[in-house]
Amino acid sequence: MMRSRKICLLLLIVSVCVLSCQQAKESDKENKKLNVIATIFPVYDFARNIGGDKINIKMLLPPGTDAHHYELRPEDIAKVTQADIFLFTNFELEQWAYKIIKAADKNTNMLAIETGNGTVLIPLGKEKAGTEQHENHEENISQFDPHIWLDMDNAMKMVDNIADAFIKKDPRNSDYYKKNAGDYKLRLTALDQQYRTSLTGCKTKIILHAGHSAFAYLARRYNLQYIAVYNVFADAEPSPERIFQLIEQIKNENVPYVYYEDMMNPRLAAMIAGETGVGLLKLNNGHDIRKKDLDKGVSFISIMEKNLINLKKGLKCPQK
């Protein structure tokens, strides 16, 4: 009798231990955060707003790095293929993304997501009007402007694609991701409305940009005329003839300001301003930001809010 009781007690202890272990494993699985790697800042910022405390996220390209000319390293491939999710913009911008996807194929459970899938693109032929044409077709085969996040409809589509990826990998927290994505899209909608209201009734609609052609999507959305000195890839210097044409256009159309790019040397913008007597204003495409800005918690929305301040000033928009 005593022996039977001991056996029953032992079986009870074993059952409790097994149940506890199973519950611990389920709890660990439920609390395990997704490891996410995003290529550039807009994708990174969208993802961290959607994923919140359910993800660990890192940016593949170091702050201040231009994705147009980024050279993928073997250690980058090794790092990304160990992630749960790899987020990139599109194959127009990160043409090297296919190397990561190929390396991960059948070897890891990494989920690769082209966040720009389904967005409305601007063909380079139309966008390049007035800029130096790209000649090295073997080096860059892009057919569309890759700066899709500067159109708020495109940005919201990217948010949806990121949320879908998180839900696919972590269905337990689907409601959490859906709510965060919905909240963030409301913020993008409010920002879009702020742009539409602020950029109505301006004295000029010309954005003359002495940088690489990155703001065509923004100009299209808000019915502005966009003129960039460099092409999309900033891989060819504008000709003297082209610079002279821009200077004449500034004088003839009384353009009050020339815009320069946050991460580019403003030498050309300063020269054009000196020749024409116009002012200089900064625009940031959000593509690549400085480390100090990243450390300060700069966001895509805060960047766009600062851009709007300078656009209102440069286009001489009414105060509202």
Side-chain angles (χ1 to χ4, degrees):
M1 185 63 126
M2 184 65 69
R3 185 179 178 186
S4 297
R5 288 180 179 176
K6 287 182 178 179
I7 292 173
C8 289
L9 182 60
L10 181 60
L11 289 174
L12 179 61
I13 293 172
V14 171
S15 298
V16 170
C17 288
V18 170
L19 181 61
S20 297
C21 289
Q22 288 176 342
Q23 290 176 340
K25 286 181 180 179
E26 289 177 1
S27 179
D28 288 343
K29 185 177 180 181
E30 187 173 351
N31 295 327
K32 182 179 180 295
K33 294 185 178 184
L34 291 175
N35 289 316
V36 181
I37 293 183
T39 52
I40 63 171
F41 182 71
V43 179
Y44 168 87
D45 196 40
F46 296 165
R48 66 178 175 177
N49 277 277
I50 300 163
D53 60 7
K54 305 297 183 186
I55 68 170
N56 291 317
I57 186 165
K58 295 180 180 179
M59 196 160 60
L60 178 61
L61 274 64
T65 303
D66 183 0
H68 294 300
H69 306 109
Y70 183 67
E71 293 186 9
L72 192 67
R73 303 169 301 176
E75 54 265 38
D76 293 331
I77 297 176
K79 178 171 63 176
V80 176
T81 53
Q82 296 305 310
D84 294 310
I85 298 175
F86 169 50
L87 302 173
F88 65 102
T89 314
N90 53 31
F91 288 107
E92 301 297 323
L93 180 64
E94 301 109 338
Q95 295 181 5
W96 37 263
Y98 79 91
K99 295 180 181 179
I100 293 175
I101 296 170
K102 186 177 180 180
D105 186 33
K106 298 180 181 179
N107 295 322
T108 75
N109 292 318
M110 182 199 81
L111 176 62
I113 297 296
E114 183 182 11
T115 62
N117 185 37
T119 55
V120 180
L121 304 177
I122 295 178
L124 283 183
K126 183 184 295 184
E127 181 273 329
K128 278 186 179 179
T131 67
E132 295 297 310
Q133 296 296 313
H134 184 67
E135 296 179 356
N136 193 346
H137 299 290
E138 292 184 1
E139 179 184 342
N140 200 306
I141 57 173
S142 295
Q143 298 179 9
F144 298 93
D145 186 331
H147 304 90
I148 55 174
W149 56 88
L150 293 176
D151 181 311
M152 293 305 157
D153 279 347
N154 284 346
M156 285 189 267
K157 180 61 179 176
M158 294 170 73
V159 167
D160 286 338
N161 289 337
I162 294 169
D164 288 345
F166 290 171
I167 292 169
K168 185 174 182 178
K169 272 289 187 178
D170 182 21
R172 288 173 178 266
N173 292 305
S174 60
D175 290 342
Y176 178 85
Y177 299 130
K178 288 177 183 177
K179 182 183 185 306
N180 285 354
D183 290 345
Y184 191 70
K185 286 168 67 175
L186 287 176
R187 294 175 65 192
L188 291 175
T189 299
L191 178 66
D192 183 45
Q193 186 57 45
Q194 191 178 358
Y195 263 75
R196 290 189 183 281
T197 302
S198 299
L199 300 180
T200 299
C202 306
K203 290 186 178 180
T204 179
K205 286 185 171 292
I206 299 175
I207 300 175
L208 203 152
H209 179 212
H212 89 289
S213 185
F215 295 91
Y217 285 95
L218 184 147
R220 180 184 68 177
R221 186 162 187 84
Y222 304 113
N223 298 314
L224 302 172
Q225 182 183 350
Y226 178 58
I227 303 169
V229 177
Y230 294 90
N231 66 24
V232 164
F233 312 101
D235 52 6
E237 288 289 332
S239 66
E241 292 79 11
R242 175 60 185 154
I243 295 173
F244 177 76
Q245 288 174 0
L246 292 175
I247 290 173
E248 289 301 302
Q249 187 169 9
I250 290 171
K251 293 177 179 178
N252 293 335
E253 300 190 32
N254 295 317
V255 176
Y257 288 91
V258 172
Y259 289 94
Y260 66 96
E261 207 159 341
D262 185 44
M263 299 294 288
M264 288 186 69
N265 190 325
R267 175 182 54 83
L268 180 57
M271 185 272 286
I272 293 174
E275 287 290 328
T276 57
V278 301
L280 285 172
L281 288 171
K282 182 168 68 174
L283 285 179
N284 186 335
N285 63 45
H287 169 183
D288 47 350
I289 66 172
R290 292 180 173 85
K291 185 179 185 305
K292 65 178 183 179
D293 292 328
L294 187 64
D295 293 340
K296 287 179 181 177
V298 167
S299 68
F300 172 75
I301 288 178
S302 68
I303 288 172
M304 295 302 292
E305 288 172 342
K306 286 185 177 180
N307 281 343
L308 181 56
I309 292 172
N310 282 347
L311 285 170
K312 287 165 60 179
K313 182 176 180 179
L315 302 180
K316 293 191 172 181
C317 304
Q319 297 298 320
K320 297 177 182 179

